[in-house]
Amino acid sequence: MVQEKVIVSTQPLQWKCVESRADSKRLYYGRFLMAPLMRGQGDTIGIAMRRALLGEIEGTCITSAKSEKIPHEYSNIAGIQESVHEILMNLKEIVLRSNLYGTCDASICSKGPGYVTAHDIILPPSVEIVDKTQHIANLTEPIHLCIELQIERNRGYRIKAPKKFQNVTYPIDAIFMPVRNANHSIHSYVNGNEKQELLFLEIWTNGSLTPKEALHEASRNLIDLFIPFLNAEEENFHLENHQPKENLPLFNFHRRLAKPKKTKKEVALKYIFIDQSELPPRVYNCLKTSNINTFLDLLNNSQEDLLKIKDFRREDVKHIMNALEI
């Protein structure tokens, strides 16, 4: 374990690793410090980085297993201590490291008696096993266990969909995320007359990436998401160009905002996210599922449009009007 003393600096924004350790081959931990930050910037960076660490980094895992000798997922095979379901769960936990794109094939072919581990998986050159001691099955009799595997590199997670597979192929829940957990914490301090912040990021990985590598990759991916905004030409949005069709009924706030003389409060509605309003959870979820994220999005939908949303009720219009305080 490596630890460094945290020293508050008044230098320009910088980051450093203050703690790093490997608890096991499949559990790495890292703690990072970023400072000095202005008040409020800690949450801005911390929340974005946590989401990028958990959702924007690609990983590799086994997504399906195939064997003609297995009748169904919940069967037991003579000479194997584990059930088929337990073997599939063990395959799900195998941690892989790769640079491949898309999918590739691998296989297991082992003869008992003896233990079958990750070391027995025959992999293509582009894929590497992080912990070859991971247990798969225990063969108690002199039988052959042959399984064809599919390996894929992707991001996030994917729940198995049995209907898309043949009877002899068994899908496995795919957890591609190499970052197991990520937290951020903020510590405030006074520097002269100015209040500043320290941001701490804690990262746990499955061993396919170190926390430092995960931090670098998440940062690059996060920057890539914002590049289109930097290259986009500035556009001026005019309310009259976003009016709903005339044959659809309008909300009261459509007509009020369409007046030539707009108050500051009315103009500001275009920049308020519905997350900031006190809408009931059901109404909020209805709007979010229809990609209505701001009150500007609401302006572009008539009452008839909203009533077409699943689970949206006519009385919900009143909740929207109350949230706008019109």
Side-chain angles (χ1 to χ4, degrees):
M1 183 175 67
V2 179
Q3 283 188 313
E4 296 183 16
K5 185 179 293 185
V6 178
I7 302 175
V8 176
S9 173
T10 57
Q11 298 298 318
L13 184 63
Q14 55 186 326
W15 73 273
K16 65 187 298 186
C17 178
V18 295
E19 185 177 352
S20 176
R21 67 172 185 263
D23 294 332
S24 68
K25 290 183 179 181
R26 288 177 281 150
L27 184 59
Y28 286 15
Y29 171 80
R31 189 165 182 251
F32 304 89
L33 164 69
M34 178 175 283
L37 296 170
M38 296 175 61
R39 185 176 181 180
Q41 289 182 335
D43 270 330
T44 301
I45 299 173
I47 294 173
M49 283 304 303
R50 183 178 186 274
R51 293 185 65 88
L53 285 163
L54 294 174
E56 298 299 327
I57 302 179
E58 292 186 345
T60 306
C61 66
I62 299 171
T63 56
S64 70
K66 178 180 179 180
S67 178
E68 296 181 355
K69 295 182 178 181
I70 300 176
H72 59 81
E73 180 179 350
Y74 298 99
S75 61
N76 290 283
I77 301 176
I80 302 180
Q81 181 176 318
E82 292 81 4
S83 66
V84 174
H85 179 73
E86 289 173 329
I87 294 175
L88 294 177
M89 291 300 99
N90 291 336
L91 291 172
K92 175 182 175 180
E93 297 298 325
I94 301 293
V95 179
L96 302 173
R97 182 191 295 118
S98 79
N99 294 318
L100 67 86
Y101 293 92
T103 61
C104 67
D105 296 326
S107 63
I108 299 174
C109 192
S110 183
K111 182 180 179 181
Y115 291 101
V116 181
T117 65
H119 179 75
D120 298 304
I121 301 177
I122 303 172
L123 295 167
S126 58
V127 184
E128 178 186 349
I129 298 174
V130 172
D131 184 4
K132 294 185 178 182
T133 65
Q134 284 187 261
H135 179 77
I136 296 176
N138 179 19
L139 307 184
T140 58
E141 297 180 11
I143 63 171
H144 283 89
L145 176 65
C146 295
I147 304 176
E148 297 178 23
L149 305 173
Q150 185 178 72
I151 295 173
E152 183 177 344
R153 181 177 176 85
N154 211 317
R155 65 181 60 186
Y157 63 90
R158 184 173 64 228
I159 304 299
K160 61 183 180 180
K163 294 182 180 179
K164 296 183 180 180
F165 291 77
Q166 301 176 357
N167 292 333
V168 296
T169 303
Y170 302 93
I172 299 173
D173 292 339
I175 303 177
F176 299 105
M177 301 178 294
V179 176
R180 290 298 185 229
N181 194 13
N183 289 328
H184 80 279
S185 59
I186 300 167
H187 301 269
S188 301
Y189 65 96
V190 177
N191 183 15
N193 295 327
E194 185 179 1
K195 190 173 184 180
Q196 295 184 330
E197 294 179 343
L198 296 169
L199 171 65
F200 286 94
L201 281 171
E202 293 183 286
I203 303 172
W204 291 263
T205 69
N206 64 358
S208 61
L209 288 177
T210 65
K212 185 177 180 180
E213 290 171 337
L215 185 61
H216 286 175
E217 187 168 341
S219 301
R220 287 195 298 267
N221 293 341
L222 195 58
I223 291 171
D224 289 342
L225 291 175
F226 285 97
I227 285 178
F229 293 102
L230 298 176
N231 297 332
E233 296 182 0
E234 184 177 355
E235 297 182 5
N236 295 321
F237 293 96
H238 300 285
L239 183 62
E240 54 269 20
N241 295 332
H242 296 277
Q243 288 289 338
K245 298 179 181 179
E246 294 181 358
N247 59 340
L248 297 178
L250 301 178
F251 290 117
N252 291 336
F253 60 84
H254 284 79
R255 293 193 293 268
R256 291 195 59 176
L257 290 181
K259 292 179 180 180
K261 295 182 179 181
K262 304 173 184 177
T263 65
K264 292 182 179 180
K265 180 179 179 181
E266 291 169 335
V267 174
L269 288 175
K270 297 191 298 181
Y271 306 102
I272 299 177
F273 289 86
I274 62 173
D275 309 63
Q276 300 170 255
S277 63
E278 297 183 355
L279 291 171
R282 186 181 57 78
V283 179
Y284 170 81
N285 291 332
C286 287
L287 297 177
K288 291 293 284 187
T289 54
S290 299
N291 291 324
I292 298 176
N293 300 308
T294 67
F295 286 127
L296 179 60
D297 297 333
L298 277 174
L299 295 178
N300 294 326
N301 288 271
S302 66
Q303 181 174 342
E304 182 176 326
D305 293 331
L306 294 183
L307 290 174
K308 292 178 182 178
I309 300 175
K310 184 179 179 181
D311 297 328
F312 191 90
R313 305 170 185 172
R314 188 171 296 274
E315 57 268 25
D316 294 337
V317 175
K318 184 177 179 181
H319 294 300
I320 294 177
M321 301 299 286
N322 291 337
L324 292 171
E325 296 180 355
I326 294 178

